[in-house]
Amino acid sequence: MPDAQPVAPNLDDYDDACRRFTWAQARTALRGLPDGGLNMAYEAVGRHAAGARATQVALRFLRRDGTVHDLTYAALAVEIARFAGVLTSLGVSPGSAVFVLADRVPELYIAALGTLWHGGVFAPLFSAFGPEPIASRLTLGEGRVLVTTPAYYRAKVQPMRAALPSLTQVLLIGDAAEIAALPDTKDLRALLAAAPTDTAVASTTADTLALLHFTSGTTGRPKGAMHVHGAVVAHAATGRLVLDLHDDDVFWCTADPGWVTGTSYGIVAPLVCGVTSIIDEGDFDAARWYQVLETQRVTVWYTSPTAIRMLIRAGTALPKARDLRALRFVASVGEPLNADAVVWGVDAFGQPIHDNWWQTETGGIMIANYRAMAVRPGSMGRPLPGIEAAIVHRVASGGVAVETAPGVQGELALRAGWPSMFRGYLHDEARYAACFADGWYLTGDHARRDADGYFWFVGRADDVIKSSGHLIGPFEVESALLAHPAVAEAAVIGVPDPMAGELVKAFVVLKPGETASDAMANTLRGFARTRLGAAVAPKTIAFVAGIPKTRSGKILRRLLKARELGLPEGDLSTLEGPSQ
Ligand code: ATP
Ligand code: MG
């Protein structure tokens, strides 16, 4: 289907863009502060509020009660200056960590940007976290200020408050009388209403700390990744080049700001690019999501493989009943996107889904399928202009050997030094140092590069299965199973075996209406064997009702493995499910 709107891609010739791109040039797309500094919130809001976009809607909240609440760039600028004023009046020094534990309500966004305006460090917490993960992150990050609601405060923070001595200010969003009854808290809305609207932006530089993000905890205890204001250069560049954001776009990032995607691309990048961002306060619901795409005339949509697989389960009748012609570009991140899901996009939306790859540590998209480039289904795409990516092997000396042959599996590495690169793991310098060798940042993910420079995800280093001398990536096996029409979800692990080292075991969730049986297991094993060969296909298939995932939608293979082997389950603070 041709593009609904005749909008030329921002990146039309990939090789040419790579030749011409420099980070110094990308920086010139931003305004900068008069003293030569750089501030993320100024680039995202302040400069637009003072310019042609002042009256444009910056954030559109689709509230749970069905109403819509818009904040223009000008209105948002006033609110974030007020929030910075509140911090000043409370004696919170720049550089302090401000944590936010809230649903996707306006005050979350105001606090995030207001903290950056103030020169503080914004640290989001996923609102479904229970008291323990909240307390441990507040302690690790030495949170001075916490913005939350009375309900979350009572249930999740108050019981631990005595053990949080660095937490001096608790600012609550909600009913004034309810807040007044809670000792040692303040009413954020009242403070905002009384605050001055002209608090000047802090004189931060590209190297000033701005964000503290905890990783998803897929491979172990979550790490606190620290980011600087200079990351906004990468947010701007990727917003334009990968998400193809143009002036009139309506952009919807479905990720929660509790995770890095929901901040880098749910808050900062779309505002920096000056577009209107949709914020849906509700939870996933296939029918409603298509309704949002249609009624808001979303043009660029950024979502996740888990959400896409849930939409696939709900069928194509739903999107086909909607007028989605405004939708120009669909992208996905967070997990590998299996080839069948990419192609499903063509059926549902008239266009493939564009997978891209990055991590909390990289701060922004690093490898992507671009709008103007043919998508290779199952591939993460090609490195962002300005990013050098390679496949490397760790060598005994502690350095790395760069793989030059195409098709060889190894660790994905990025040449260190891009603007949104993390600047440390909180209180874990040794771990940070261990991520770098010979000028490369080592990602901990295994991948392959093909002869044309496309990267193919194999698996996390911890998840790669070694079976009879083969290195098997779980994604390859999961993708093969997902290609079978009866399979809704699949997760693959290696189970120790005295002969083979490890044997491939698959956990499969069937689509509604399919029946788990030995015959079905045989069918799926045979199906995988014809696609993958006997050495790689799963030896065992277990049918399960659901697959354990992080709250950001990543398969927790380490948990499947621990349960399989009867080992301790490890840190489960990010496990999806009822609050712990
Ligand atoms: P932790 O580091 O705590 O174990 P995590 O790595 O899952 O958790 P994130 O930084 O949120 O935390 O996720 C980044 C990881 O997600 C990547 O390293 C990669 O393994 C996976 N990932 C993200 N996008 C993609 C993608 N497009 N294809 C394949 N894998 C992806
Ligand atoms: Mg990680």
Side-chain angles (χ1 to χ4, degrees):
M1 193 199 282
D3 285 337
Q5 299 161 15
V7 181
N10 288 327
L11 185 157
D12 55 358
D13 179 336
Y14 175 78
D15 293 312
D16 186 49
C18 288
R19 266 192 303 277
R20 287 186 306 151
F21 185 94
T22 64
W23 285 111
Q25 177 69 29
R27 164 76 172 77
T28 64
L30 302 175
R31 180 78 52 83
L33 299 178
D35 63 2
L38 193 62
N39 182 281
M40 217 175 245
Y42 179 72
E43 300 304 332
V45 184
R47 72 187 163 117
H48 296 316
R53 288 195 175 85
T55 58
Q56 185 186 320
V57 175
L59 302 177
R60 163 162 289 186
F61 295 88
L62 309 180
R63 314 214 66 156
R64 284 183 194 268
D65 66 6
T67 58
V68 172
H69 175 69
D70 286 344
L71 277 173
T72 63
Y73 278 93
L76 184 58
V78 167
E79 294 303 323
I80 70 176
R82 281 188 163 135
F83 188 85
V86 168
L87 294 181
T88 307
S89 71
L90 296 175
V92 177
S93 54
S96 302
V98 177
F99 280 70
V100 179
L101 171 75
D103 295 339
R104 291 180 288 276
V105 295
E107 286 82 359
L108 184 161
Y109 297 78
I110 291 164
L113 293 156
T115 299
L116 297 170
W117 190 264
H118 177 70
V121 177
F122 170 61
L125 292 168
F126 193 68
S127 62
F129 281 155
E132 176 47 43
I134 291 168
S136 64
R137 284 162 179 77
L138 277 168
T139 305
L140 196 63
E142 289 155 46
R144 276 289 306 278
V145 180
L146 173 68
V147 174
T148 187
T149 60
Y152 285 149
Y153 180 70
R154 266 197 307 271
K156 303 176 180 215
V157 185
Q158 209 173 13
M160 319 289 272
R161 180 90 189 250
L164 297 169
S166 62
L167 184 62
T168 52
Q169 302 292 344
V170 172
L171 311 181
L172 299 181
I173 310 158
D175 179 69
E178 202 182 347
I179 297 168
L182 286 166
D184 293 328
T185 66
K186 296 190 173 72
D187 181 338
L188 177 61
R189 287 183 180 147
L191 291 172
L192 285 172
T197 59
D198 59 353
T199 298
V201 62
S203 52
T204 49
T205 73
D207 294 319
T208 307
L209 279 185
L211 304 167
L212 170 62
H213 278 298
F214 290 91
T215 60
S216 291
T218 314
T219 51
R221 182 174 288 281
K223 299 153 280 200
M226 300 189 285
H227 287 280
V228 292
H229 281 269
V232 69
V233 180
H235 298 146
T238 50
R240 273 180 47 72
L241 300 178
V242 181
L243 299 175
D244 195 47
L245 294 176
H246 287 68
D247 280 2
D248 296 328
D249 273 325
V250 177
F251 173 71
W252 184 22
C253 170
T254 61
D256 188 88
W259 309 111
V260 72
T261 306
T263 302
S264 293
Y265 296 98
I267 306 180
V268 183
L271 294 176
V272 171
C273 292
V275 305
T276 296
S277 222
I278 299 293
I279 293 152
D280 179 31
E281 290 184 17
D283 299 323
F284 176 86
D285 173 323
R288 203 176 47 79
W289 273 30
Y290 290 120
Q291 184 198 343
V292 170
L293 289 171
E294 179 182 53
T295 54
Q296 297 302 322
R297 302 189 51 77
V298 172
T299 54
V300 179
W301 190 35
Y302 197 20
T303 189
S304 68
T306 313
I308 291 164
R309 285 194 280 269
M310 290 200 280
L311 293 176
I312 293 175
R313 260 205 261 187
T316 46
L318 287 173
K320 288 192 170 161
R322 298 282 177 183
D323 177 357
L324 303 180
R325 281 175 302 172
L327 196 58
R328 188 180 75 240
F329 188 71
V330 184
S332 158
V333 73
E335 282 235 292
L337 188 65
N338 51 302
D340 288 81
V342 174
V343 175
W344 174 82
V346 179
D347 189 21
F349 308 118
Q351 56 186 299
I353 296 168
H354 294 73
D355 185 23
N356 57 57
W357 174 96
W358 59 290
Q359 309 177 303
T360 309
E361 291 85 343
T362 70
I365 300 167
M366 296 282 112
I367 297 180
N369 286 286
Y370 303 87
R371 181 173 158 225
M373 228 166 65
V375 173
R376 295 199 174 170
S379 159
M380 326 193 269
R382 300 182 70 183
L384 181 75
I387 293 296
E388 189 187 347
I391 300 299
V392 304
H393 307 286
R394 299 192 190 218
V395 293
S397 65
V400 294
V402 175
E403 178 62 62
T404 49
V408 180
Q409 182 176 319
E411 186 165 359
L412 176 62
L414 306 171
R415 174 71 69 193
W418 67 96
S420 62
M421 190 178 87
F422 71 137
R423 300 305 161 93
Y425 283 129
L426 196 61
H427 306 315
D428 201 347
E429 275 174 37
R431 185 163 201 164
Y432 183 68
C435 294
F436 296 88
D438 295 340
W440 294 95
Y441 163 64
L442 306 172
T443 65
D445 283 346
H446 279 218
R448 279 191 297 271
R449 195 190 64 246
D450 69 19
D452 300 318
Y454 285 73
F455 284 78
W456 299 75
F457 185 78
V458 171
R460 295 156 182 281
D462 294 4
D463 291 338
V464 172
I465 301 161
K466 293 163 206 80
S467 186
S468 305
H470 298 276
L471 276 182
I472 301 169
F475 173 50
E476 189 182 14
V477 184
E478 290 158 10
S479 294
L481 290 167
L482 285 165
H484 191 280
V487 175
E489 285 188 272
V492 165
I493 61 167
V495 180
D497 176 77
M499 296 299 288
E502 282 184 298
L503 288 178
V504 179
K505 172 161 186 176
F507 296 83
V508 167
V509 179
L510 292 172
K511 286 198 181 145
E514 304 289 347
T515 314
S517 64
D518 288 348
M520 177 63 90
N522 282 336
T523 305
L524 293 180
R525 266 199 304 271
F527 181 80
R529 210 175 299 128
T530 48
R531 296 190 155 224
L532 301 168
V536 178
K539 297 284 177 293
T540 329
I541 292 186
F543 295 106
V544 288
I547 284 172
K549 297 200 193 87
T550 66
R551 294 188 187 281
S552 52
K554 293 161 197 286
I555 296 175
L556 275 164
R557 293 183 192 80
R558 70 172 162 96
L559 181 56
L560 283 172
K561 197 159 177 170
R563 286 179 179 166
E564 180 74 22
L565 305 181
L567 296 172
E569 296 192 340
D571 183 302
L572 296 184
S573 61
T574 62
L575 176 66
E576 185 185 51
S579 299
Q580 323 122 53

